[in-house]
Amino acid sequence: QAPRRRYESFVMSYWDERDDDAELFRKRKNAVKTTWAIVGEELGVEATVTFYHRLFELHPEVKPMFSNFSEEGYDIYEQAEKLFNTLCVAVEFLNDVENLIPILQDLGKKHAMKWNVQRFHYEAVGGCLIWTLRTSLGDDVWTDDTEDAWVWVFNAISKTMSDAGDEVLEAKEKKNEDEPGRRSSWQKSMRASFSLDEEIDEIQNQENKKLEHDIIVPRDQTNAKSIRSQIRAGVTNRNEIELRPESTALLIIDIQVELCKVDHDSPHLAYAMEKFPSMIENIRKLISAMRSNQTELEESSQRGSDIIFAYCEALTDDSRDASLDYKLSGYALSNLPCPSKPAQFVDGIEPIPGRDIRMKKTSCSVFQSTNIDYVLRNLNVEQLIICGQATDQAVESACRNAADRGYLVTIPKDACFAQSGNDHVKGLHGMSGFSRQLSSNDVLRELRPF
C-alpha cells in the first residue's frame, strides 16, 4: 500500500471542489458522518482532549488565546467539550450546507474579533485534528478515502470561517490606521500573547468591544429589554418577533421509546414511515443548535437556550395517579412508564443529566400535570419552541396553554408528528392563532450562534 499522504496545508479553496459530481460529494459526507459517529460512541470528548494536547505540544504559541490558560494548568476538558459539541453541530449540518455556512461565518468573525485568529491558525488546527482522528480510529476505520473526505470538509470549514474572519481583521486594521498614534490590534495581541503587560490586555478588550459594534451588528437580543414589555396590543405582529437565545427554551414532547412504536396495521403507515424519521432528525438539529447557543451564552456569563424534555411517566407503578383521560385512552396511556420501569428516550434525543430539564407528565398537556410554568418563569423564559408528538394532541395542548400563560410560542412544523397527515394539518390549524409556525430550517436560522 502506498504511504498515506501528509497534509501540510489545509487552506485550500473550497470552490476548487465545485466541479465534483454529486456522488463524490455524497460519499464524502457519508464518510465523515460515519467516522464521527464512531468517534462519538467510542471516544466522545476524549478525542478532542487528545486534539488539544497535540495542538499545545506542536503549537505552544496558541496557548494565550485561551482565556483560562496559565502555566500552572488549564482545564482542557471544558474547552474540549465545547469543541466536541461544535464538531457535532458541523457534522449534523453537512446535509444542510445552506444553514451551516452562516453558522461558520459567525464563528469565524467571533474568533477573529476576540482572538485575532488568522488563516495559519486554521492550518495548525487542521493538522492536529486529522492526526487525532487518524491515530485514534486506526487503520481499520481510517482509510485514504476517509482522510480525503475529512480534509475536504475541513478545507471547506476553514475557508468559510477564515474568509469571514478576514473581513473583521481588515476592518480592525483600517480603524487603527485611521487613528494615528495607536498600536494596531495585531501588535497589541502579540504583546498580550507574550504576557508583557496586563494593561494592554485591558486596552485590547475595550477596543474589541467597541469594534464589535462598529463591525458586526449584533442581533437585537443583546442587552435587550423584556420582549413582553415591548408588545403593544393590536400593533405588534407575533410573526415579526424572532427568537432570542437567552430568552428561548426548547420543549420536546413525548419523544420516548414507549410512544414511538410503529403500528404496521395503520392505514397511514406510509405517511408515518416518511414523516416520523424526518421529525426525529429535525429535533436532533434543534437540540444541537440549542446546545451550541448554551455554550455561547455561558462564555459571556449568561444563561438561556434550555432544553426541556416532557414525557409520560407515572408516579406509581399502577398509573393510578394518571389523568382520567389517560386511564380511558387505551393500554399505552393507562399503563405509563413508572418508577420500577422508567421511560426510555430515543437515541440522539436524550437529556443530559444535571443540565437539561425533565418533566414527567401524566396528562395530555405538560402544563396541567407538571410545574413547568413555575420552572420557565424561574429561567426567565419568554419564548418557547415546542416540538414532538402528537401535533393535534399534546403539542397543541401545550401550545395553547403556553400562549395563555404569556409565552411566545414557535412551532417548527416539520419537527412535529401526528398519526396521519390530516391530523397533523388539523393540529397546526388549531395552533395557528397561538403561535408562529415555521420550518425547522427557519427556526435554525434564528437560533444560529450569535
Side-chain angles (χ1 to χ4, degrees):
Q1 183 179 1
R4 185 164 294 149
R5 285 185 291 166
R6 295 181 59 85
Y7 292 89
E8 302 298 337
S9 175
F10 288 82
V11 188
M12 295 166 52
S13 172
Y14 171 61
W15 303 111
D16 287 346
E17 304 289 342
R18 65 187 179 275
D19 295 328
D20 284 354
D21 58 46
E23 180 63 18
L24 178 58
F25 183 50
R26 184 190 65 80
K27 287 181 178 179
R28 283 171 167 165
K29 288 190 296 183
N30 288 344
V32 170
K33 291 170 78 73
T34 299
T35 49
W36 187 249
I38 295 173
V39 170
E41 292 174 3
E42 298 184 0
L43 301 171
V45 178
E46 289 303 318
T48 44
V49 169
T50 301
F51 160 80
Y52 276 114
H53 282 302
R54 179 72 169 179
L55 180 66
F56 291 162
E57 176 187 357
L58 297 183
H59 304 280
E61 71 277 4
V62 305
K63 292 179 180 179
M65 290 183 170
F66 297 85
S67 58
N68 295 328
F69 184 86
S70 68
E71 291 304 324
E72 288 72 30
Y74 178 71
D75 184 3
I76 289 181
Y77 191 89
E78 180 181 354
Q79 184 64 34
E81 188 175 30
K82 294 177 182 178
L83 176 60
F84 183 80
N85 290 335
T86 300
L87 289 172
C88 286
V89 172
V91 173
E92 189 76 29
F93 274 80
L94 282 179
N95 289 327
D96 190 7
V97 175
E98 181 182 352
N99 284 305
L100 176 61
I101 288 175
I103 293 175
L104 296 175
Q105 289 172 333
D106 286 345
L107 287 173
K109 290 178 181 179
K110 174 186 171 182
H111 281 68
M113 174 60 66
K114 289 189 174 182
W115 303 291
N116 286 296
V117 173
Q118 301 190 43
R119 287 182 182 270
F120 62 86
H121 291 124
Y122 291 103
E123 178 178 347
V125 167
C128 293
L129 177 63
I130 297 300
W131 176 89
T132 300
L133 294 171
R134 181 194 303 133
T135 56
S136 298
L137 294 173
D139 291 339
D140 290 341
V141 174
W142 190 262
T143 65
D144 288 340
D145 288 341
T146 302
E147 184 156 317
D148 284 339
W150 271 96
V151 170
W152 180 86
V153 167
F154 188 83
N155 289 340
I157 290 174
S158 65
K159 185 179 189 304
T160 303
M161 292 179 67
S162 56
D163 283 352
D166 283 350
E167 297 177 11
V168 174
L169 294 172
E170 290 171 6
K172 289 172 71 175
E173 196 64 33
K174 183 177 185 303
K175 185 173 181 66
N176 283 315
E177 290 173 359
D178 293 341
E179 298 183 26
R182 294 184 60 184
R183 294 189 187 95
S184 71
S185 58
W186 174 244
Q187 289 173 320
K188 290 178 180 176
S189 67
M190 288 298 292
R191 287 172 62 86
S193 294
F194 289 99
S195 304
L196 295 180
D197 196 338
E198 291 183 0
E199 182 180 353
I200 290 179
D201 280 338
E202 180 62 26
I203 294 172
Q204 182 70 55
N205 289 335
Q206 293 176 0
E207 178 184 338
N208 283 350
K209 288 179 181 178
K210 183 175 183 296
L211 286 170
E212 190 166 11
H213 291 284
D214 295 339
I215 300 170
I216 304 174
V217 180
R219 294 171 67 180
D220 290 339
Q221 75 267 13
T222 306
N223 298 322
K225 297 179 181 178
S226 163
I227 302 173
R228 295 187 182 102
S229 69
Q230 301 178 69
I231 292 176
R232 297 293 177 264
V235 177
T236 306
N237 182 342
R238 77 170 75 243
N239 292 314
E240 295 175 355
I241 305 174
E242 291 194 358
L243 297 167
R244 298 177 181 173
E246 76 278 11
S247 64
T248 297
L250 173 64
L251 174 59
I252 303 167
I253 298 177
D254 289 351
I255 302 301
Q256 58 191 104
V257 171
E258 297 81 8
L259 300 180
C260 293
K261 297 176 181 178
V262 177
D263 179 5
H264 291 281
D265 295 325
S266 170
H268 308 292
L269 179 60
Y271 169 83
M273 297 299 288
E274 175 188 358
K275 298 298 183 182
F276 185 81
S278 175
M279 173 199 67
I280 294 295
E281 181 66 19
N282 288 329
I283 293 177
R284 285 173 178 155
K285 289 182 179 180
L286 292 171
I287 291 174
S288 294
M290 295 292 282
R291 296 212 193 288
S292 180
N293 279 340
Q294 285 178 346
T295 300
E296 293 285 319
L297 289 165
E298 288 169 0
E299 287 182 353
S300 57
S301 300
Q302 298 182 73
R303 295 291 181 185
S305 294
D306 284 292
I307 304 174
I308 302 171
F309 291 78
Y311 58 99
C312 291
E313 185 173 314
L315 300 174
T316 57
D317 284 349
D318 60 2
S319 295
R320 64 181 183 273
D321 58 298
S323 69
L324 178 62
D325 174 64
Y326 271 18
K327 290 172 181 173
L328 298 172
S329 296
Y331 180 82
L333 294 178
S334 61
N335 291 273
L336 297 175
C338 57
S340 63
K341 191 177 180 181
Q344 300 179 53
F345 295 98
V346 175
D347 288 343
I349 305 181
E350 303 159 297
I352 297 176
R355 185 178 184 91
D356 298 326
I357 297 169
R358 300 185 184 195
M359 290 283 172
K360 300 177 183 179
K361 69 186 187 75
T362 54
S363 62
C364 184
S365 173
V366 64
F367 282 88
Q368 297 300 327
S369 54
T370 75
N371 65 339
I372 188 172
D373 185 34
Y374 172 80
V375 171
L376 290 173
R377 294 190 188 282
N378 287 342
L379 295 172
N380 295 318
V381 170
E382 294 185 282
Q383 297 172 290
L384 201 55
I385 304 168
I386 303 179
C387 60
Q389 64 174 351
T391 314
D392 59 323
Q393 297 179 38
V395 174
E396 182 179 352
S397 296
C399 171
R400 288 172 172 256
N401 287 163
D404 281 343
R405 286 166 172 79
Y407 298 100
L408 297 163
V409 179
T410 296
I411 303 293
K413 297 180 290 185
D414 49 359
C416 299
F417 175 78
Q419 293 301 312
S420 71
N422 287 338
D423 289 344
H424 181 68
V425 171
K426 181 177 66 176
L428 293 176
H429 179 72
M431 294 184 284
S432 61
F434 300 87
S435 65
R436 291 193 312 156
Q437 297 184 12
L438 306 174
S439 68
S440 292
N441 283 341
D442 286 337
V443 173
L444 290 167
R445 288 190 187 97
E446 293 185 11
L447 287 177
R448 72 181 186 273
F450 54 97

